[in-house]
Amino acid sequence: MKQNRLYLLLGLAAGILLALLIFAVITMDKTDPTVLKMIEDGELRTGPQAAYPVVFKVEKGERLDIYKHDGKWYYVGNDKKKGWIAGWHTDLDIEPDKLASAEPFKGKTIILDPGHGGSDQGASSRKGTLEKDITLKTALMLRDKLKKEGAKVIMTRDEDQYVKLGDRKAAGDVFISLHSDALTDTAPHGLTVYYNQESQKALADTLHFAINKKTLLSDRGVRQENYQVIRQTKMPAVLLELGYISNPTDERLMNDKIHRQTVTTAIVDGLRNYFIY
Ligand SMILES: [Zn+2]
């Protein structure tokens, strides 16, 4: 009987050992990876979303340590750079977000409202820059870029023409009114983004972030204001004051085509993020 007992004990010990081994293998499989490799060139961002600013470029083949993750985004780096990367650019076998890879402008109608026009010249500078000309130039450039992205664009005016405030509206998904500020004091400068209703604040925040990120305009923030063109619509609507025409630096920027390219690209970027998230 003693012999049998020994076998029983040995069998039990072997069984426990086997169970431990299986458990170890299973948990090893489930352990989060600690290193990843880029399968294409990518960008590290300050947060786990495409809307966050890029801080570093990373190249295909680069190996990066993983510190933590948030959904499909990984906080990675080495001793030279750190930031967030979308998992689908790496060897972690992660499906891209459907939304992020879709065409965010498809089926969207954007109303562009170049402020003033015709007999209403808007603000003007000492040098003779007219707000109505700048808003139209910017809006036409923005229209072309949005069309390229697949959006439908409706303009409240596309030439030097007077349009009543009450007529500056149309059915669509987003309304953007373009303006530039002016004061008798030439010192104030920078970008201000206005919204009217709470439901318009997300659009205002997104465009504010995008324009600030890309352009040289200083930041005067996001504000709620009772402007008619954004009050008279229920859709997400903003009024952008893209600098002060009364400030020489801002005026120089407004008259600079490259600056207008940067501003319009930033607005497209902002809208893309707005439609995606
Ligand atoms: Zn104006």
Side-chain angles (χ1 to χ4, degrees), residues 108-123:
K108 293 283 192 278
T109 300
I110 294 151
I111 322 297
L112 295 183
D113 174 42
H116 314 280
S119 57
D120 168 19
Q121 64 172 33

Side-chain angles (χ1 to χ4, degrees), residues 113 168 175-177 193-197 200 223-240:
D113 174 42
R168 291 174 180 265
F175 176 96
I176 299 174
S177 189
V193 177
Y194 291 99
Y195 67 100
N196 174 249
Q197 299 138 53
Q200 299 170 336
R223 295 182 205 174
Q224 189 167 23
E225 191 55 69
N226 191 19
Y227 290 132
Q228 185 178 337
V229 291
I230 49 176
R231 187 186 66 225
Q232 69 191 3
T233 177
K234 288 282 163 278
M235 79 178 83
V238 292
L239 187 147
L240 305 175

